[in-house]
Amino acid sequence: QKEVEQDPGPLSVPEGAIVSLNCTYSNSAFQYFMWYRQYSRKGPELLMYTYSSGNKEDGRFTAQVDKSSKYISLFIRDSQPSDSATYLCARGPSSGSARQLTFGSGTQLTVLP
Amino acid sequence: DTGVSQDPRHKITKRGQNVTFRCDPISEHNRLYWYRQTLGQGPEFLTYFQNEAQLEKSRLLSDRFSAERPKGSFSTLEIQRTEQGDSAMYLCASSPRRGGPRSYEQYFGPGTRLTVT
């Protein structure tokens, strides 16, 4: 089982729709989670960071962690064509001085005008 | 813009040749990371530096790979005797000198796309 599983999509929605992107993780010790957006042939761009459980909101984006089900979600409200990209979830290290992020395989999103 | 920069952006090389990539992190970021990303996959961790010290290495980092950060600023990643399986995007990231959970935030550069023919 991969440490972070992500539905690869592709996901296609009309402009203005609410988008839900999801990941599951395997180890309940993980506490730090991030969402990155990656446009084609570009580096990943940090969107949101969450620690432990609960919700975090930033403009049109909401990140949610449900530790009981080991589920992390990113919601995009009022989606725009410029949101078309691959969205990557990642978890931080579980302990110690380790620093690496472990990524899911990404979900490709297309927002149709 | 003072984001992470990488050079070159693209590299095409023949199998068996050596290649070297450079990464310049965001200024004052003391932590620097290398990842590799293949098509349809998320980035995979290769190695991590805190200042000039290489503190973590993935088992993905075979003997043909070496990374340095000699003065705690820019870093280089060298691949010797390249193989077709090395074809990928090589990403560099940096994170700031801060404590707490936000110290895990990593900011990525545009990547170097390597094609081995």
Side-chain angles (χ1 to χ4, degrees):
Chain A
Q1 182 187 12
K2 294 182 73 173
E3 291 188 5
V4 181
E5 300 264 12
Q6 188 170 8
D7 184 344
L11 180 62
S12 185
V13 300
E15 184 175 355
I18 296 174
V19 177
S20 173
L21 302 165
N22 305 296
C23 290
T24 58
Y25 61 95
S26 59
N27 189 333
S28 57
F30 301 154
Q31 298 188 75
Y32 311 105
F33 301 95
M34 292 157 213
W35 283 96
Y36 284 82
R37 177 175 63 194
Q38 186 172 27
Y39 292 112
S40 181
R41 298 186 174 271
K42 304 287 188 185
E45 170 194 8
L46 180 62
L47 273 180
M48 299 200 65
Y49 173 100
T50 56
Y51 170 66
S52 193
S53 60
N55 291 0
K56 183 175 181 181
E57 189 172 320
D58 184 1
R60 296 185 296 110
F61 298 90
T62 299
Q64 188 175 79
V65 178
D66 182 343
K67 293 200 77 177
S68 62
S69 58
K70 291 186 246 178
Y71 208 75
I72 56 177
S73 301
L74 178 71
F75 300 97
I76 307 174
R77 289 183 300 281
D78 187 26
S79 55
Q80 303 294 310
S82 59
D83 295 328
S84 299
T86 296
Y87 289 80
L88 297 156
C89 61
R91 65 94 177 158
S94 55
S95 63
S97 61
R99 288 280 159 185
Q100 67 185 81
L101 299 181
T102 300
F103 286 85
S105 55
T107 299
Q108 187 178 343
L109 171 68
T110 301
V111 180
L112 301 169
Chain B
D1 186 294
T2 56
V4 177
S5 61
Q6 293 187 244
D7 184 70
R9 295 291 306 277
H10 304 275
K11 178 72 177 178
I12 300 174
T13 190
K14 292 182 188 283
R15 184 166 55 92
Q17 298 295 304
N18 299 344
V19 294
T20 300
F21 309 140
R22 177 180 169 124
C23 171
D24 287 89
I26 295 171
S27 59
E28 299 178 358
H29 279 195
N30 67 328
R31 298 188 178 105
L32 185 147
Y33 313 80
W34 286 99
Y35 289 81
R36 180 172 70 186
Q37 186 177 24
T38 53
L39 196 62
Q41 300 298 315
E44 294 177 293
F45 172 78
L46 293 178
T47 190
Y48 152 59
F49 291 85
Q50 181 165 302
N51 301 313
E52 65 274 9
Q54 188 174 19
L55 297 185
E56 280 184 75
K57 290 171 63 172
S58 163
R59 63 180 183 278
L60 291 176
L61 211 67
S62 75
D63 291 345
R64 296 185 298 105
F65 288 70
S66 62
E68 294 183 342
R69 194 183 183 199
K71 297 183 180 178
S73 57
F74 73 92
S75 175
T76 58
L77 177 69
E78 181 183 17
I79 309 174
Q80 295 182 324
R81 305 180 304 280
T82 52
E83 301 172 356
Q84 287 187 323
D86 297 332
S87 295
M89 173 85 92
Y90 289 84
L91 292 161
C92 177
S94 67
S95 61
R97 188 195 314 267
R98 63 160 67 111
R102 296 202 64 187
S103 67
Y104 295 113
E105 292 179 5
Q106 296 181 18
Y107 298 87
F108 283 81
T112 294
R113 183 171 298 279
L114 173 67
T115 302
V116 182
T117 61

